[in-house]
Amino acid sequence: MAIDRKTARNAEADMDLRVVRYPHPTLRYKSKPIRRVDSDFRALVGRMFELMYEERGIGLAANQVDLPYRFFIINLSGDPTQKDEEFVFINPEILSRKGSEEDTEGCLSLPGINAVVRRSAEIDMVAYNLKGEEIQWRLKGLFARAFQHEYDHLDGTLFIDRLTPTRRWAVADRVDDLASEYAGRVIAGSEPREEDVLRRLAELEALRV
Ligand code: ZN
């Protein structure tokens, strides 16, 4: 199918950015590496930071704002005035992992759910920043945890997928509630149907992937 680039570009620029909630289909979408970073993209990233601060998050992946692109943002301080704590990771890869540790996580796409997740204690990662420079860092502690949580989003994996059976069981009711609330919104027309979501993602991919 031919896709009009101009239409896709407008789709991105006009997008009313919002955090999508479980089980929105884009949260299960395997996002695609980006080929082009331009001023429109940088503007989009700026809007994502604003949204993340409004929602009181410390990390936000493209899937969570209904975008099919392989990137995420992090500011561990959650403080909009701490600009030097803002990081954008484009086309990230985890090169190696060491050790493991457990800590509590939550997710803006799964409001009201917190659970203990086992993650690698230390990771070596590589990604591109907004200037197109390659960054290769060793991360540990909360930064390593946040990176792995957001990185999972890009593959359509949520933190509830990584819980032990007992911990998953403990949050099952709340997960079910989110699913029925979402289904209700689809019926009411305030959430799009899955086929419409997928069509839009294909349009956006044609622009930047
Ligand atoms: Zn999340």
Side-chain angles (χ1 to χ4, degrees):
M1 188 179 72
I3 292 177
D4 179 358
R5 268 185 183 274
K6 196 159 169 285
T7 307
R9 173 171 291 254
N10 288 341
E12 197 181 74
D14 297 343
M15 243 183 92
D16 184 19
L17 222 55
R18 65 176 180 121
V19 175
V20 297
R21 314 286 181 204
Y22 175 88
H24 190 287
T26 306
L27 293 173
R28 291 301 188 191
Y29 196 77
K30 192 167 163 57
S31 60
K32 307 295 189 297
I34 301 170
R35 280 198 294 117
R36 296 197 311 124
V37 170
D38 51 21
S39 58
D40 284 354
F41 182 77
R42 284 188 284 271
L44 190 65
V45 169
R47 286 161 63 206
M48 260 177 83
F49 271 110
E50 284 170 25
L51 186 61
M52 183 181 82
Y53 297 132
E54 273 168 30
E55 302 251 344
R56 303 190 169 278
I58 59 167
L60 193 60
N63 309 51
Q64 293 181 274
V65 291
D66 204 6
L67 291 171
Y69 311 140
R70 209 158 177 82
F71 78 97
F72 55 80
I73 61 172
I74 285 179
N75 180 341
L76 295 180
S77 76
D79 178 352
T81 64
Q82 306 243 6
K83 295 292 172 207
D84 54 344
E85 298 291 312
E86 290 187 346
F87 297 101
V88 184
F89 297 102
I90 300 168
N91 301 344
E93 294 293 338
I94 294 176
L95 303 173
S96 65
R97 301 168 174 270
K98 220 167 90 184
S100 79
E101 57 190 28
E102 295 195 321
D103 211 339
T104 305
E105 294 184 18
C107 179
L108 295 179
S109 295
L110 290 140
I113 298 176
N114 291 285
V116 173
V117 188
R118 178 167 289 275
R119 299 277 186 193
S120 302
E122 195 177 293
I123 56 166
D124 287 325
M125 51 68 56
V126 63
Y128 291 88
N129 66 16
L130 265 189
K131 294 178 197 157
E133 301 160 341
E134 189 181 273
I135 42 178
Q136 197 165 331
W137 291 338
R138 177 163 297 170
L139 304 177
K140 40 189 167 180
L142 181 60
F143 208 160
R145 177 167 296 276
F147 191 98
Q148 291 170 79
H149 177 116
E150 302 308 331
Y151 184 85
D152 266 356
H153 273 299
L154 302 184
D155 288 329
T157 301
L158 301 169
F159 82 102
I160 53 169
D161 304 331
R162 297 212 177 268
L163 302 181
T164 60
T166 318
R167 289 169 182 158
R168 181 66 181 77
W169 180 82
V171 299
D173 282 353
R174 179 64 190 145
V175 173
D176 288 349
D177 286 349
L178 287 174
S180 19
E181 287 164 17
Y182 186 86
R185 292 199 299 277
V186 173
I187 291 166
S190 57
E191 291 281 357
R193 291 172 308 164
E194 184 164 9
E195 65 221 67
D196 296 328
V197 172
L198 296 177
R199 188 183 322 115
R200 216 189 109 269
L201 293 177
E203 281 175 15
L204 289 167
E205 273 180 23
L207 174 66
R208 209 168 281 291
V209 169

